[in-house]
Amino acid sequence: MARSYRQKHCPVARTLDMIGERWTMLILRDLLLHGPRRYQDFQESLAGVAPNTLSARLKAMEGHGLIERKLYSEHPPRLEYHLTEKGDSLGPGDALAARLGTAQQLRAARPTRPSGPCRG
């Protein structure tokens, strides 16, 4: 079960209550980038996620109103996961996380500057 920050007055804590669990932002990313996804699609794109963890994250996201399941085949029954309007509204946050991750990666790749005065 997901832990809560129990800070209802803080918008950051409320958002983390919805998307702060491991894998949740990556599920959100896949839905934002690729549109409706099937369970198998998530398993393929999220290498290393355990099936029970993926199921728990999808259920939690559905419980928070971020995604909804839609039947795309009745025989046999098959489901797709779609972002709701509320889930789609998290797109700018996902884009910000991507920009921050890219900037951090670029910083880590730069050679370090020598400290102290430069000598010519």
Side-chain angles (χ1 to χ4, degrees):
M1 172 157 278
R3 294 184 206 143
S4 172
Y5 288 95
R6 296 183 184 164
Q7 296 182 21
K8 300 296 180 196
H9 62 281
C10 176
V12 173
R14 285 195 313 268
T15 301
L16 286 174
D17 282 345
M18 289 188 293
I19 62 170
E21 292 285 327
R22 187 172 183 194
W23 301 107
T24 303
M25 284 290 290
L26 298 177
I27 294 168
L28 180 63
R29 173 206 63 192
D30 283 3
L31 289 165
L32 287 164
L33 290 176
H34 306 294
R37 309 294 281 161
R38 299 173 186 166
Y39 186 88
Q40 180 68 28
D41 297 330
F42 291 122
Q43 285 188 310
E44 291 171 6
S45 69
L46 304 174
V49 66
N52 60 326
T53 301
L54 177 57
S55 294
R57 296 303 178 268
L58 291 169
K59 277 185 184 178
M61 291 175 76
E62 189 175 13
H64 286 296
L66 302 175
I67 62 173
E68 60 186 3
R69 292 180 294 167
K70 292 185 180 176
L71 198 63
Y72 71 88
S73 171
E74 290 192 29
H75 300 289
R78 300 208 186 260
L79 300 167
E80 282 183 327
Y81 294 89
H82 295 252
L83 281 175
T84 62
E85 189 175 325
K86 183 177 180 180
D88 194 50
S89 74
L90 295 171
D94 187 70
L96 174 61
R99 284 195 305 272
L100 290 171
T102 300
Q104 185 61 33
Q105 183 179 17
L106 292 173
R107 271 189 227 110
R110 284 188 205 152
T112 58
R113 291 192 226 164
S115 59
C118 293
R119 297 188 180 178

